[in-house]
Structures are given as structure tokens and as C-alpha cells.
Amino acid sequence: MTEIITTQQFFLGLGYLAAGLGAGIVVYAATGAIAKIVAAAVEGTARQPEAADAIKKNMQLNVFLIEGLGVVGLLVLIMIVLNLGLKAIPSVTAADAPAATASAH
């Protein structure tokens, strides 16, 4: 029975590790995308200062959309970690089955 629980705990740990890795990837990707947008906006403003307001508005819209997507990704990962089947459930083996049925009556 301890072998089964150990295996379940191993997969539980892998689930948490994957969720942490996924959170890091989401944050890294959102940060990289926002950095590229801001860099392009600064370059565009340097080339055409008279279009700075339009460039700023477009940049802000895209930054907000990407940031919202990153937050949604993190919320999905939090929901996975909290309660979507990542709980270790001890199983009953054949040796423990008579004791389990006797205590149920």
C-alpha cells in the first residue's frame, strides 16, 4: 500500500511542478510580448513624434489585452493546483478489503 501512495504522491508532486513551470512560462511570455510592443511604440514615436498620441493609444490597448491574457493563464493554473484532481487519494488493496468492509457494517 505504501508503494501506491508513494506513486500517487510522486504524480501529485509532478502536477505541482508542472503548474509552477506553466506559471513561469505564462509570466515570461506576457512580459516578453509587452516589452516588444513598448519597444516598437518608442521607436515609432521617435520616428514620427506627431503621431505619438495614436501610437500610445494603440500600444496601451495591446498591452492591456496581453496583460489580461497573462492573468487568465495564471488563474487557470491556480485553479488546476487548488482543486482539479491533484489530491492524493489512498487506495484500498486486496489485503485491506476485508477490514474495510467489516468496519463499514
Side-chain angles (χ1 to χ4, degrees), residues 9-79:
Q9 289 174 346
F10 174 72
F11 287 120
L12 178 66
L14 283 180
Y16 285 132
L17 186 66
L21 186 63
I25 290 171
V26 165
V27 170
Y28 182 75
T31 304
I34 290 171
K36 282 187 176 186
I37 289 173
V38 172
V42 168
E43 185 178 332
T45 302
R47 290 181 183 205
Q48 289 185 326
E50 65 274 0
D53 289 335
I55 292 172
K56 182 180 175 184
K57 287 178 186 176
N58 288 331
M59 178 198 68
Q60 286 178 342
L61 175 66
N62 289 322
V63 166
F64 295 152
L65 289 174
I66 291 171
E67 189 174 340
L69 204 61
V71 169
V72 168
L74 289 176
L75 289 176
V76 167
L77 287 168
I78 289 171
M79 289 175 59

